[in-house]
Amino acid sequence: MAADKLLISAGPGERRIAVVAGDRIVEIHIARTGDLVGGVWLGRVVEVNRGLKAAFVDIGADRPGFLPGADHQTGDPVLVQATAEPREGKGCMLSGAPSLPGRLLAFAPFRPGIAVSRRLPLIERRRLEEILTALVRPGEGLVARSGAAGQPAEALGAEARSLRDRWED
């Protein structure tokens, strides 16, 4: 059953999100302060600073997050990922290009192409590039992390499918 709505309760140090389908809660997510980095949200632009070429985005935290390089209008919805925790009275740093990290790969739904960790030997990098080229779909990106070294194509394919499914969910 598809989700009908999200119920969000935010308080000091914690946000609770319930996914509702019909008249039943099907998922509950709890995010505590310190859990922002890596989180992906559909936020809303609350302020645009043309001089900084940035937007401030409400993601339900105490303060709006900072999204550099943004070209948005106040009120626009925007998909963002937290890249750094809030500090010194400021909101968290945000990116407009979310990615999902796995053990072997990172999935980048809005950064097309492939990349391989430069920490790996050249021959292993080329092997992984060949495997990833066969796995990546148009418009998406895959990054082979250093943990991918020596892993069979089947394991990389399984993780790519898992990350893609997680993103689609």
Side-chain angles (χ1 to χ4, degrees):
M1 183 179 284
D4 295 327
K5 58 185 163 184
L6 297 176
L7 301 176
I8 302 171
S9 173
E14 184 175 86
R15 285 181 317 286
R16 295 161 298 283
I17 302 167
V19 179
V20 180
D23 60 350
R24 305 191 86 168
I25 294 175
V26 294
E27 289 180 49
I28 294 179
H29 301 273
I30 298 174
R32 293 186 173 82
T33 301
D35 290 347
L36 292 177
V37 172
V40 177
W41 291 274
L42 180 60
R44 185 155 312 275
V45 175
V46 293
E47 183 183 341
V48 176
N49 186 313
R50 300 273 179 234
L52 293 175
K53 294 183 183 171
F56 293 90
V57 180
D58 180 6
I59 59 169
D62 292 340
R63 295 185 176 268
F66 180 76
L67 180 61
D71 185 23
H72 297 286
Q73 302 290 327
T74 301
D76 283 353
V78 60
L79 190 66
V80 294
Q81 182 171 35
T83 59
E85 292 290 338
R87 58 186 165 85
E88 301 171 16
K90 297 183 179 183
C92 60
M93 288 292 294
L94 302 173
S95 168
S99 66
L100 294 179
R103 190 174 64 82
L104 308 174
L105 304 173
F107 178 70
F110 303 119
R111 282 182 283 171
I114 59 168
V116 178
S117 171
R118 294 187 187 271
R119 296 179 184 171
L120 301 176
L122 184 58
I123 194 162
E124 181 62 4
R125 290 177 61 199
R126 287 194 176 139
R127 182 187 79 87
L128 290 170
E129 285 171 359
E130 187 175 311
I131 293 169
L132 294 187
T133 298
L135 295 174
V136 72
R137 293 181 182 169
E140 69 182 21
L142 288 172
V143 179
R145 303 178 74 175
S146 55
Q151 294 294 321
E154 296 79 22
L156 298 170
E159 183 156 299
R161 284 188 299 279
S162 172
L163 290 169
R164 190 177 290 122
D165 290 346
R166 206 167 105 205
W167 175 257
E168 289 172 4
D169 282 345

